[in-house]
Amino acid sequence: MLTARTKLSRLPKRGSHDTTTIYPILDQGLVCHVSYVLNGQPFTIPTAYCRIDDTVYIHGSVGSHFFRELAKGIDVCVSVTMIDGLVLARSAFSHSVNYRSVVAFGKTQLVADEEERWLALERITEHLVPGRWADVRQPNTSEMKKTMVIAIPIEEASAKIRTGGVNDDPEDIDLPHWAGVVPLSTTYHAPIPDPNLREGVEVPGYLLK
Amino acid sequence: MLTARTKLSRLPKRGSHDTTTIYPILDQGLVCHVSYVLNGQPFTIPTAYCRIDDTVYIHGSVGSHFFRELAKGIDVCVSVTMIDGLVLARSAFSHSVNYRSVVAFGKTQLVADEEERWLALERITEHLVPGRWADVRQPNTSEMKKTMVIAIPIEEASAKIRTGGVNDDPEDIDLPHWAGVVPLSTTYHAPIPDPNLREGVEVPGYLLK
């Protein structure tokens, strides 16, 4: 899978081409950024997604300009990034960020098979809220017609991860500046019920974890 | 500023080309995704950044393959996305995400002026941790030589925002599924001091907000 596209030129100790590193990052990210080229110009769109085996799936409206481009079968770069902490060194230069990121490359494919489309939509929902799909009104024929599903089989990918503490130069260690890490995470707050919720409907257990 | 590049084709009610909408999103994002084209292929890199007036600045190592490409003066797309909530409708189809996002387009410029370089580095640090720059050992000549600063004057940009609650179809309102919003936010956890911190150095006030 290694070519010039994903060869890690900088800080290779932070990089990996191993699916056991790449897949968990793809599975934990909330949204991905999909980049593509149109008339020689780069474009990026943030969107929900899921991963099934070595394929990333995204979905959108059949009326979307972006999805109509993707339906043509074009090269894309899918990027997923999570920021885990701010690394505050004694020197400005040694400041860093703890993160997990993946860039994956592949060519888009319009998914026509109804079973594959359905599975992708189920997994995209489950990716955001595990347990949700079985607890909603599932798509009807009209909604399926309005929805485009795009598969991106991953041809190449690389992960980059930084974890741990501050790496100041030895000569800076005794400077009188505070140094350390500020951990960051995404917080899921208490669910806010829709005002028109049918009486007696409780918050489902999968939202209370 | 309006061209086909940023014209909002879908859900234009969610879109804006107004700098009073775009700048706060750029100022609140933690990292951006920078996309560019190399040999006809799209590439994306997540990176820290700052905005000064209508220019986005990023920095990297002079040894970075990515930054050496940017130094040539190429078209890029800068994307900043924040996810504010999961919108859980009664129907799978009406599920959505509350978010704020900006895509901005411009051509990269290698910054040579030392004053502009210094200001950009200060602002990139301040963007992540306001108050930090004045409290660290600032860059020396050798560190400045190792650092590349790239300016991306924004030629065009658009923002997209979704806020609010569930938009189920009227005929779905009485279905027995829970519906509502799960708000998301980034939590800054308690700072973890470096084990080699000089004795008596307290956590600075700007980290305790």
Side-chain angles (χ1 to χ4, degrees):
Chain A
M1 298 237 298
L2 271 181
T3 76
R5 254 198 318 196
T6 47
K7 188 161 157 274
L8 297 150
S9 65
R10 285 282 308 159
L11 301 173
K13 71 179 171 182
R14 288 188 191 162
S16 172
H17 295 279
D18 189 342
T19 56
T20 61
T21 304
I22 290 168
Y23 287 172
I25 295 171
L26 291 177
D27 294 346
Q28 286 161 32
L30 269 178
V31 296
C32 68
H33 284 81
V34 177
S35 299
Y36 62 109
V37 181
L38 182 62
N39 301 327
Q41 295 272 343
F43 288 83
T44 307
I45 302 270
T47 188
Y49 72 100
C50 72
R51 177 190 69 83
I52 302 176
D53 300 329
D54 61 354
T55 297
V56 170
Y57 289 89
I58 61 177
H59 75 310
S61 165
V62 293
S64 153
H65 177 70
F66 167 53
F67 273 85
R68 286 196 306 248
E69 281 303 315
L70 297 185
K72 296 174 185 170
I74 59 174
D75 287 315
V76 293
C77 174
V78 177
S79 180
V80 171
T81 306
M82 287 169 282
I83 305 297
D84 298 321
L86 306 173
V87 182
L88 307 184
R90 295 157 184 88
S91 68
F93 184 79
S94 293
H95 275 59
S96 189
V97 171
N98 282 339
Y99 64 95
R100 288 163 291 153
S101 79
V102 162
V103 289
F105 298 89
K107 199 180 273 288
T108 55
Q109 293 176 359
L110 175 64
V111 180
D113 179 79
E114 277 304 308
E115 211 166 300
E116 187 180 358
R117 279 159 48 78
W118 188 272
L119 181 65
L121 296 174
E122 174 178 339
R123 294 291 188 87
I124 290 169
T125 303
E126 289 286 304
H127 178 94
L128 284 170
V129 185
R132 185 67 182 159
W133 183 260
D135 189 30
V136 295
R137 202 264 293 151
Q138 294 180 6
N140 58 34
T141 308
S142 157
E143 289 166 346
M144 287 303 286
K145 272 188 189 153
K146 291 178 190 162
T147 304
M148 194 184 284
V149 174
I150 297 286
I152 306 163
I154 300 173
E155 295 164 12
E156 298 172 53
S158 67
K160 281 181 82 178
I161 296 176
R162 189 202 190 276
T163 58
V166 170
N167 289 324
D168 265 312
D169 289 340
E171 59 267 32
D172 288 332
I173 294 289
D174 205 40
L175 288 175
H177 308 300
W178 188 88
V181 173
V182 179
L184 303 183
S185 67
T186 299
T187 297
Y188 289 64
H189 298 277
I192 301 169
D194 182 61
N196 299 314
L197 201 61
R198 182 161 144 174
E199 211 174 319
V201 176
E202 302 285 345
V203 177
Y206 54 81
L207 292 182
L208 297 173
K209 284 178 298 189
Chain B
M1 300 237 296
L2 270 183
T3 76
R5 255 203 312 200
T6 48
K7 187 159 158 275
L8 296 151
S9 63
R10 284 282 309 159
L11 301 173
K13 70 178 173 185
R14 290 188 190 162
S16 172
H17 296 279
D18 189 341
T19 56
T20 62
T21 304
I22 291 167
Y23 287 174
I25 295 171
L26 290 178
D27 294 346
Q28 286 160 32
L30 269 178
V31 297
C32 67
H33 284 81
V34 177
S35 299
Y36 63 108
V37 181
L38 182 61
N39 303 326
Q41 296 271 343
F43 288 83
T44 306
I45 302 269
T47 187
Y49 71 101
C50 71
R51 178 190 68 83
I52 302 176
D53 301 328
D54 62 354
T55 298
V56 169
Y57 289 90
I58 61 178
H59 75 310
S61 164
V62 293
S64 153
H65 178 69
F66 168 54
F67 273 85
R68 286 196 304 248
E69 281 303 315
L70 297 185
K72 295 174 185 171
I74 59 173
D75 288 315
V76 293
C77 174
V78 177
S79 181
V80 172
T81 306
M82 285 168 284
I83 305 298
D84 298 323
L86 306 174
V87 182
L88 307 185
R90 295 158 185 85
S91 69
F93 185 78
S94 293
H95 275 60
S96 189
V97 170
N98 281 338
Y99 64 95
R100 289 163 291 153
S101 79
V102 162
V103 287
F105 298 90
K107 200 181 272 287
T108 55
Q109 295 176 357
L110 175 64
V111 181
D113 180 79
E114 278 302 308
E115 212 167 297
E116 188 181 357
R117 280 161 44 81
W118 188 272
L119 181 63
L121 296 174
E122 174 178 340
R123 293 290 189 87
I124 290 169
T125 304
E126 289 287 302
H127 178 93
L128 284 171
V129 186
R132 186 65 184 162
W133 184 259
D135 189 31
V136 294
R137 201 263 295 151
Q138 293 179 8
N140 59 34
T141 308
S142 157
E143 289 166 345
M144 288 303 285
K145 272 189 190 153
K146 291 178 192 163
T147 303
M148 193 185 285
V149 174
I150 297 286
I152 305 163
I154 300 173
E155 294 164 11
E156 298 172 52
S158 67
K160 281 184 82 178
I161 296 175
R162 189 201 190 278
T163 58
V166 169
N167 288 324
D168 264 311
D169 289 343
E171 59 267 33
D172 288 332
I173 293 291
D174 204 41
L175 288 176
H177 307 301
W178 188 88
V181 174
V182 178
L184 302 183
S185 67
T186 299
T187 296
Y188 289 64
H189 298 277
I192 301 169
D194 183 63
N196 299 314
L197 201 61
R198 184 162 143 172
E199 210 173 320
V201 176
E202 303 285 345
V203 177
Y206 54 80
L207 292 183
L208 298 173
K209 284 178 298 193

